[in-house]
Amino acid sequence: RCGASVGIAIDTDKVADPMRLLVNADIALYRAKAQGRNRHQFFNASLQSEIVRTKRVADDIMRGIDRGEFTAWFQPQVDATTHEIVGVEALARWTHPTEGVLPPAAFLKIADELNVVGAIDGMILEDTVGWLSRWKSHGLHMPKASVNVSPRRLNDEGLIESLRGMSIPPGSLSFELVESIFLDEHDDLL
């Protein structure tokens, strides 16, 4: 058995641009494969604008990493019985220079495609450890902080080394797997 995915591009100009046709057909081909293979996809204006938007977001993510725009925002964790704060969960937020504060849904998928989720995880981890230290120096005792981490980052050999370089009180930090990444897609990493 064999199957085929096909990307189709049409040029209506009097003189066709073969390179542009090939690029557009290739873009349509990748969309066809992403939708389940054994399909065909026509290149269209909607697909073009999506590609342009994805490229812009990808460029912005890379600049945002360089500029330190990814920071931790904290959600309290409360004991259901005593109603006391028993910790915080660090939530990744991107302070985009023109779009404001963005949640992970706005950048995580593209960051994963760029293979930079680990870099963002690292920024959030460092920010969280910094906040734990600042809170302690101001007399605020925060028992623990939970940091989301991708399965790929858990498999990163550099994670343990970077943790050793931080002054983290024992028991004050825990990792939670990123909710938006399906475990069955990353079995081999776990």
Side-chain angles (χ1 to χ4, degrees):
R1 293 185 187 197
C2 68
S5 295
V6 180
I8 305 165
I10 300 169
D11 195 339
T12 57
D13 294 339
K14 287 186 180 198
V15 178
D17 179 352
M19 286 306 292
R20 189 177 74 199
L21 274 172
L22 285 173
V23 168
N24 291 350
D26 199 39
I27 290 169
L29 172 63
Y30 280 103
R31 169 52 58 87
K33 288 180 178 181
Q35 291 180 341
R37 301 190 181 264
N38 293 326
R39 297 175 180 266
H40 69 279
Q41 174 70 47
F42 283 92
F43 182 84
N44 56 37
S46 161
L47 188 54
Q48 174 68 32
S49 65
E50 181 183 329
I51 297 299
V52 169
R53 182 194 163 285
T54 299
K55 172 74 169 113
R56 182 187 54 80
V57 172
D59 291 345
D60 286 354
I61 287 171
M62 298 307 289
R63 278 192 292 274
I65 289 171
D66 291 342
R67 295 177 184 163
E69 295 171 356
F70 293 89
T71 58
W73 285 40
F74 298 97
Q75 175 175 299
Q77 295 173 325
V78 179
D79 183 298
T81 306
T82 66
H83 303 283
E84 293 181 15
I85 294 177
V86 294
V88 291
E89 178 181 2
L91 306 172
R93 294 296 182 262
W94 179 13
T95 307
H96 192 279
T98 58
E99 296 184 32
V101 179
L102 301 174
F107 61 85
L108 194 58
K109 181 179 180 212
I110 296 171
D112 192 39
E113 291 170 5
L114 292 170
N115 199 24
V116 295
V117 172
I120 295 171
D121 283 351
M123 294 172 78
I124 302 306
L125 175 62
E126 288 180 24
D127 199 24
T128 300
V129 170
W131 275 106
L132 285 172
S133 178
R134 282 189 287 276
W135 290 329
K136 184 177 179 180
S137 72
H138 285 71
L140 177 63
H141 173 69
M142 188 58 60
K144 70 175 180 117
S146 299
V147 179
N148 286 329
V149 63
S150 67
R152 184 177 292 152
R153 177 74 168 146
L154 279 178
N155 196 47
D156 181 3
E157 294 172 7
L159 175 62
I160 298 300
E161 204 54 45
S162 69
L163 290 172
R164 286 188 180 124
M166 299 178 187
S167 58
I168 304 170
S172 66
L173 189 66
S174 64
F175 291 116
E176 295 182 12
L177 289 176
V178 176
E179 296 94 351
S180 62
I181 297 178
F182 297 104
L183 293 177
D184 57 352
E185 292 178 7
H186 297 280
D187 281 344
D188 56 329
L189 295 177
L190 297 174

